[in-house]
Amino acid sequence: TNSGTTPDVRASRACAISTCAESDMETIKLIAIDLDGPLLVDTFSPIMYQLCRDYYRIDYTRALERHTFSRPRAEVVAYIRQLVQATMSAQDLAKSTEQSLESYFEYRAEYLRHNPSGMRPEVPEFLDLLAGLEVTLLCYGGLAEQHMRDGLGRYAERFVQYVCTNDCRPGIREIIEEIHQVEPQQALFIDDVNFVAEHARALRVPFIGVPSLAPWSWQKKDMQETGVRHIVDSVGQIDRAMLEAIDREAGSGDFWWR
């Protein structure tokens, strides 16, 4: 869902992508899937929760999620500093944004040594389902492409492209207008963050929410309030019938709750 080391928008590779063949999907031509959360075990949310509880000693709030999930890294650092500056040590206050991010990644590396990570077990079957639809599959996220390839292994090849969205959060407009040049209703986005859902709704882009099941998470409630019609616990709950229903909704323009 968040953060990485080197931004890497692969727009130049879009020129080599061919037009999809006719398939069961009459309207949807592009399915774009967020990496962390839907495809890989979410690590950003539990790390942020743990940092708030054990390091910053501040409440983990709905507002904090809103200002840190699917946001540019520098923006997240600035927001956290604003929250905790009164209690920060002189050493932490003196850190640059880059140094603060280095500290975060050190903390993240330690977290990953002791907690689950990697591809979610339901992903291979889900990608097999999508392969039968003959739509263009794109993966995106805030980390560098190598993180996607390390996490998905051979399944990374199922995607024609990876787009790092750190410099263009949340990235929907850039993906549909600049990289793939499809109409809004022709792209389906699958993500675990409501901030992305809000942008999808504003652009009239179909969306499936896969919010965190963590007890501290606000994302499912926020998606419901945004009017996301299709919310699942995991991509394993997305079947052909749901995708075909969304395709019909996309054709009629009726894919959000009022």
Side-chain angles (χ1 to χ4, degrees), residues 24-56:
D24 295 327
M25 307 292 272
E26 296 182 0
T27 301
I28 302 294
K29 303 302 179 186
L30 170 70
I31 297 181
I33 311 174
D34 177 37
L35 180 63
D36 284 307
L39 300 178
L40 303 184
V41 173
D42 175 35
T43 57
F44 185 76
S45 170
I47 289 173
M48 187 58 65
Y49 179 79
Q50 190 168 294
L51 278 169
C52 289
R53 183 192 62 194
D54 300 337
Y55 186 74
Y56 299 126

Side-chain angles (χ1 to χ4, degrees), residues 42-207:
D42 175 35
T43 57
F44 185 76
S45 170
I47 289 173
M48 187 58 65
Y49 179 79
Q50 190 168 294
L51 278 169
C52 289
R53 183 192 62 194
D54 300 337
Y55 186 74
Y56 299 126
R57 301 194 182 281
I58 58 174
D59 291 335
Y60 182 93
T61 65
R62 191 177 196 171
L64 184 139
E65 281 196 352
R66 179 164 186 80
H67 288 91
T68 60
F69 284 18
S70 294
R71 303 282 185 161
R73 293 187 285 273
E75 189 176 312
V76 174
V77 170
Y79 178 78
I80 294 295
R81 282 189 171 186
Q82 177 186 333
L83 288 182
V84 301
Q85 60 184 354
T87 58
M88 288 177 70
S89 67
Q91 182 180 7
D92 284 340
L93 283 170
K95 286 182 179 179
S96 65
T97 296
E98 291 72 20
Q99 289 171 325
S100 294
L101 287 169
E102 287 176 7
S103 295
Y104 164 78
F105 283 113
E106 290 171 1
Y107 190 96
R108 180 178 182 271
E110 182 63 23
Y111 173 89
L112 293 178
R113 277 193 280 271
H114 304 286
N115 293 276
S117 61
M119 186 171 64
R120 299 175 65 94
E122 64 270 23
V123 167
E125 185 175 352
F126 174 61
L127 293 180
D128 286 344
L129 167 65
L130 298 185
L133 297 177
E134 296 182 2
V135 296
T136 297
L137 296 183
L138 177 146
C139 186
Y140 67 93
L143 295 162
E145 182 172 350
Q146 192 58 48
H147 174 65
M148 183 268 281
R149 297 199 171 277
D150 290 343
L152 295 181
R154 63 189 177 90
Y155 290 98
E157 299 304 319
R158 299 293 184 93
F159 297 93
V160 299
Q161 186 176 16
Y162 176 81
V163 175
C164 176
T165 54
N166 181 64
D167 290 346
C168 59
R169 293 290 199 175
I172 297 177
R173 185 184 299 277
E174 290 77 7
I175 288 171
I176 67 172
E177 293 183 2
E178 300 174 15
I179 300 177
H180 278 269
Q181 299 176 349
V182 295
E183 295 299 317
Q185 73 276 12
Q186 293 179 317
L188 168 63
F189 277 71
I190 302 174
D191 205 292
D192 62 339
V193 175
N194 181 60
F195 177 65
V196 183
E198 290 175 337
H199 281 253
R201 178 161 190 162
L203 294 169
R204 302 300 298 162
V205 170
F207 184 86

